[in-house]
Each structure stands twice: as C-alpha cells, then as structure tokens.
Amino acid sequence: SQTIHQWPATLVQPVGSPLSLECTVEGTSNPNLYWYRQAAGRGLQLLFYSVGIGQISSEVPQNLSASRPQDRQFILSSKKLLLSDSGFYLCAWSRTISGSMNEQFFGPGTRLTVL
Amino acid sequence: LAKTTQPISMDSYEGQEVNITCSHNNIATNDYITWYQQFPSQGPRFIIQGYKTKVTNEVASLFIPADRKSSTLSLPRVSLSDTAVYYCLVGDTRGSTLGRLYFGRGTQLTVWP
C-alpha cells in the first residue's frame, strides 16, 4: 500500500530564517506531487506541483521554492521566511493516469508558525 | 478550470440527511466533479467523484443534473464525526491541468447532537 510522510509535524521559526519541509511517498512510482498551504480560516492554496524528477511548476509567485531530487521526494524551501508564510503545509500525491480527475492523497501536514 | 461556488457553512443534527450543493456554471465537457472532506489539522480526503447522473458509494451520494452546472453531495444520517469542511472541485487531468486541484474555502458542516 502507498503511504505519504511529511516532517516535521510542527515547526516554529523566526522571521528571516530558512525553511526546509520534506515529503516522501512510499509504495508507488512516478507519482504527481503537490505542495499546498492552508492559512488560518482559508482554503487550500496550491503552491507547486511536479510530474517528474526535477520538473517543478509554480502556481503562486512567492519566496518559496520546491525541488524534487528523487522520484518520491518533494522538498519545500525558503531562504528567508516571512510572517505571512505561517500556515498548514500539505503534501499530496496522485497517480499519473489520464482520464478522470485523479484522486489526491494527502500527507499529515506540517504546522509552520513564523514569529 | 471551472470555478465552483458552495455555501460557507451548514448546520445539521445527528441522524439527518445533509445535502451540500455546489454550482459550477462553466464546467467543461471533460471535467469531472469531485468532493473532498477535511478534518481539522488533517489533509483532505477523497469522498466521491462523478461525471453525470448519480454516483453512490459507502459514504455518500453525488447527484449531477443533466446540464452539469451544479452538483449535490448527499450525506445520509450524519453523525458528529461528519463535522468537517467539504470541498467541491471540478477539473480534468487531461490537457493543461495535469491533475492540479483548486480548493476554495469549502463548506463547514457542523453536526449537533
């Protein structure tokens, strides 16, 4: 069976500090990978998605970046965090099957607080 | 991607049937309609997906009229544990969307005892 892991679960960082959130998927190969952010009281905002190693597409211009160094590893980074980067960060994966809108499977999330 | 509109919040009592309607006037021919459920501090979870008419699974039913400009998620006999945010999404993995999903604010369903 497939599983998705995210770490850390919670993180408190000062403004201006760097960020690295990691997501890994097990039990599948060549998944589509996604990073979302959910600010307090808001819906999920798609940040990045990837269809393969080294292939990253950005949805929203910001001070965040993403990388996919391995097939089942997705990393979200920032060089300098802003207060507005606080939120609940979710990683998700889906199969690369054409046809109906593929189900996305979400990880447990990382709660980031920037002070 | 088609924009969706759904109520911000709904209240119900245990044992009642809940119907959440989503409008998507600009739905495209290849678009499917999908509903997700999200509990606090968790990622969303797939509930049901459909293209037209009616789809039913062990959790919910999805009703889609012939013009497909709206859809209704039906939750039979809700319990307290059904309190969550429900998202309606419309899209197609083929073509330029590449499986991207766009979640709005969803509908906060609160079930009372």
Side-chain angles (χ1 to χ4, degrees), chain A:
Chain A
S1 63
Q2 300 85 16
T3 56
I4 178 169
H5 305 278
Q6 284 186 246
W7 63 90
T10 60
L11 190 61
V12 180
Q13 292 284 96
V15 170
S17 64
L19 173 74
S20 180
L21 302 181
E22 189 165 344
C23 170
T24 58
V25 181
E26 296 177 355
T28 188
S29 59
N30 195 31
N32 290 335
L33 296 172
Y34 310 85
W35 277 112
Y36 292 87
R37 176 174 61 199
Q38 187 170 35
R42 306 283 297 274
L44 272 73
Q45 179 186 34
L46 178 64
L47 301 175
F48 301 94
Y49 68 96
S50 171
V51 299
I53 296 174
Q55 301 178 61
I56 309 294
S57 295
S58 173
E59 286 290 303
V60 182
Q62 59 215 327
N63 69 319
L64 299 173
S65 62
S67 62
R68 184 170 178 175
Q70 301 180 41
D71 181 45
R72 290 168 291 176
Q73 184 185 31
F74 206 22
I75 298 172
L76 183 69
S77 304
S78 174
K79 293 182 179 178
K80 290 185 177 182
L81 284 169
L82 306 173
L83 287 175
S84 57
D85 290 325
S86 293
F88 189 45
Y89 287 81
L90 288 158
C91 179
W93 74 273
S94 70
R95 295 181 177 88
T96 54
I97 302 174
S98 63
S100 64
M101 191 161 63
N102 293 329
E103 177 179 353
Q104 290 193 9
F105 302 88
F106 286 80
T110 295
R111 179 78 59 189
L112 171 66
T113 303
V114 182
L115 301 175

Side-chain angles (χ1 to χ4, degrees), chain B residues 11 27-29 31 35 37 41-42 44 53 57 60 62 72 74 76-77 83 94 98 100 104-105 113:
Chain B
D11 292 287
I27 189 169
T29 302
D31 286 345
W35 286 80
Q37 174 193 56
S41 297
Q42 293 185 27
T53 63
N57 61 23
L62 179 60
T72 299
S74 181
R77 298 181 298 281
T83 294
R94 295 166 293 186
L98 296 177
R100 288 168 285 169
R105 294 188 63 175

Side-chain angles (χ1 to χ4, degrees), chain B residues 4 6 22 24 33-36 71 86-90 102 104 106:
Chain B
T4 61
Q6 52 184 122
C22 177
H24 27 79
I33 301 156
T34 307
W35 286 80
Y36 280 74
S71 58
Y86 292 83
Y87 297 95
C88 166
L89 298 98
V90 173
Y102 291 90

